[in-house]
Amino acid sequence: MDDFQQLSKHHRDVVKASTAFIYAILVSIAMNYFWTPGHIYSSGITGLAQLFNSLMSKFLPFELSTAALLFLLNVPMFIIAWRSIGHRFTMYTFLAVALSSIMIKVIAPVGLTHDPIICAIFGGAVNGFGTGTALKNGISTGGLDIIGIVLRRKTGRSIGTINMAFNSIIIVAAGFVYGWPYAFYSALGLFVNGRVIDMTYTRQQKMQVMIITSRPKTVIDSVQNRIRRGVTIVHNAEGAYQHDDKTILFTVITRYEMPELKAAMAESDPHAFVSISDTVKILGHFYEPKP
């Protein structure tokens, strides 16, 4: 058993390290192939690093590369993560950011196109897929992700407002540095980036599940053995067609857990009626695994 747990832990470490490397390649492609040629700013700390690089090149006799600034601006985030979130989480965050800085510097910029609309859309899509993949596999890309996790743990609130305010500053800065059309192009890139993250990072997408079954105990046992979710039971339901006794079960899962739910239902009651709908908002406790 200990050998199995050790092997499983080693496998998770390899997956996370590989994901950090994949993210680093994708963000460097987004930066060097699309954002830089198209004068597009990214979101969060990456966008801030781009902004500082632009301002230094205009107003200072020296400049630091975007790659170097990306790493330096994340150093305070590493300290916050180490103290407030966890050491292993911080190590993988450090790895993702360090590899990103290295790959942005190593991969030579290629001007595939200078069309700002194309650069905004494809840069946002490539980076969004990389960020979503990283989050899906339990690693952070640094920056505002860390502040968001700390705030959510301490207050239960998301970082959405801070993210919007921070990114608004970057969009306005793009207007001042490159011209106001580029502010709108950067906003387009941020929108695409966010949408692709949402499509990729399925752990944050909540879904309400209603199960109508004649085998409630078997279904509950199977679901809870596979997914750490509470289930609410409504007894004494009746089917209108045959007037047979039914039980209604309610639970909320993430889209990431959908395959486990399907497997649980196939195992426990293949004939149950299952209705699944997107959940807009949840009030109360909803278990989220620690990163």
Side-chain angles (χ1 to χ4, degrees), residues 30-41 110-111 113-120 178 182 185-186:
M31 178 72 71
N32 293 336
Y33 287 22
F34 300 106
W35 288 335
T36 300
H39 301 308
I40 304 299
Y41 281 153
V110 176
T113 177
H114 294 279
D115 186 313
I117 296 179
I118 294 176
C119 290
Y178 293 124
Y182 287 94
Y185 297 141
S186 294

Side-chain angles (χ1 to χ4, degrees), residues 77-91:
M77 305 301 170
F78 298 149
I79 297 171
I80 293 172
W82 186 269
R83 292 178 176 175
S84 303
I85 300 178
H87 294 177
R88 289 179 64 81
F89 174 85
T90 307
M91 289 170 59

Side-chain angles (χ1 to χ4, degrees), residues 230-279:
V231 178
T232 299
I233 307 172
V234 180
H235 293 290
N236 302 320
E238 180 182 344
Y241 183 65
Q242 295 183 333
H243 298 283
D244 47 350
D245 293 333
K246 297 287 185 180
T247 299
I248 303 175
L249 309 175
F250 288 99
T251 188
V252 176
I253 65 172
T254 66
R255 190 177 294 276
Y256 181 78
E257 295 165 331
M258 182 77 75
E260 294 296 332
L261 175 70
K262 289 181 179 179
M265 294 309 304
E267 173 186 80
S268 59
D269 187 1
H271 302 292
F273 178 82
V274 182
S275 174
I276 302 171
S277 57
D278 290 332
T279 299

Side-chain angles (χ1 to χ4, degrees), residues 82-183:
W82 186 269
R83 292 178 176 175
S84 303
I85 300 178
H87 294 177
R88 289 179 64 81
F89 174 85
T90 307
M91 289 170 59
Y92 284 116
T93 302
F94 177 87
L95 179 64
V97 174
L99 286 173
S100 299
S101 299
I102 292 170
M103 296 308 294
I104 289 172
K105 197 70 177 174
V106 168
I107 294 180
V110 176
L112 297 177
T113 177
H114 294 279
D115 186 313
I117 296 179
I118 294 176
C119 290
I121 292 173
F122 281 88
V126 170
N127 183 74
F129 180 73
T131 303
T133 301
L135 294 171
K136 187 175 181 179
N137 285 278
I139 68 173
S140 166
T141 58
L144 298 184
D145 293 348
I146 293 171
I147 298 176
I149 292 171
V150 173
L151 282 180
R152 191 165 66 243
R153 287 189 178 182
K154 291 185 178 298
T155 67
R157 297 180 180 179
S158 71
I159 196 180
T161 303
I162 295 176
N163 249 323
M164 288 175 61
F166 196 91
N167 290 331
S168 296
I169 293 172
I170 292 175
I171 290 171
V172 171
F176 278 110
V177 175
Y178 293 124
W180 291 109
Y182 287 94

